[in-house]
Amino acid sequence: MLRRADACVAVRELRTPKDLVGLDGLIVPGGESTTIGKLLVAYGLEQPIRQAANHGLPVWGTCAGMILLARDIVGGEPDGRIGLMDLTVRRNAFGRQVDSFEVDLAFAGLDRPLHAVFIRAPLVERVGPEAEPLASLPDGRVVAARQGNLLATAFHPELTPDTSLHAWFIERCRAAAACL
Ligand code: GLN
């Protein structure tokens, strides 16, 4: 998706702390926050990621990644997490796998609605003063937020052809890299 959004972007996987060297941005993907949290601990990634983010590295957490970015988690705390965003996030807030759904979202900063796929998704229950909401469901419940260079989305932006959020994130990465 990143390469499709911008052919100049080089993308690689982060698995160990040394993979952080030279990165201009990091996406913590969807999946299972319990598992990713265990791997963050097992590979010693928690502190290095937190440190890089504190130094301005843009980090985007999607779905399970959003859970790992939140400071407060309801519904089961993973062993490890990044925990930097002033948010309270509820895991599996919409129910089980069969309760997954898709919806068009108005997204702050984008000029057209974004089609969003929610898979056993979390929800932002509280947006603290350090963070700002970026998108809500039609009933007002928050599903995306930002705190400086940290971005959290409850849905899976890689499952639709729309690259507008990826393009937005790449811009943040370019701006942050220019400042570092
Ligand atoms: N339900 C998962 C969790 O709690 C997140 C699901 C997802 O990333 N699609 O971690």
Side-chain angles (χ1 to χ4, degrees):
M1 289 296 283
L2 291 166
R3 280 188 208 113
R4 237 160 58 200
D6 186 329
C8 296
V9 168
V11 181
R12 57 184 163 87
E13 291 181 351
L14 178 134
R15 293 184 181 275
T16 65
K18 68 175 169 22
D19 298 330
L20 272 167
V21 177
L23 283 191
D24 294 325
L26 172 66
I27 295 180
V28 186
E32 181 53 53
S33 52
T34 308
T35 308
I36 303 174
K38 280 189 200 306
L39 293 170
L40 286 177
V41 174
Y43 287 88
L45 277 164
E46 261 181 310
Q47 266 311 108
I49 292 177
R50 229 177 263 151
Q51 219 163 35
N54 278 331
H55 282 97
L57 182 79
V59 182
W60 179 9
T62 70
C63 204
M66 169 166 114
I67 296 165
L68 293 161
L69 272 181
R71 226 174 258 168
D72 301 307
I73 300 169
V74 181
E77 274 204 18
D79 293 347
R81 57 165 132 155
I82 300 158
L84 287 178
M85 289 186 77
D86 191 7
L87 305 173
T88 303
V89 166
R90 177 177 293 275
R91 292 176 68 182
N92 303 321
F94 302 94
R96 308 177 60 154
Q97 198 79 11
V98 291
D99 301 308
S100 298
F101 62 98
E102 303 184 19
V103 69
D104 286 337
L105 289 177
F107 206 99
L110 300 186
D111 48 15
R112 57 194 157 80
L114 190 79
H115 190 67
V117 181
F118 292 80
I119 304 172
R120 218 156 63 86
L123 185 70
V124 181
E125 283 197 339
R126 180 194 63 92
V127 180
E130 293 166 58
E132 56 175 316
L134 293 181
S136 307
L137 295 172
D139 64 11
R141 291 184 292 174
V142 175
V143 289
R146 175 184 175 189
Q147 181 175 318
N149 282 337
L150 306 175
L151 172 66
T153 54
F155 50 89
H156 278 259
E158 77 281 18
L159 294 181
T160 65
D162 191 335
T163 55
S164 44
L165 260 192
H166 300 81
W168 185 89
F169 185 68
I170 291 166
E171 279 318 303
R172 297 303 325 146
C173 295
R174 285 220 168 88
C179 291
L180 291 177

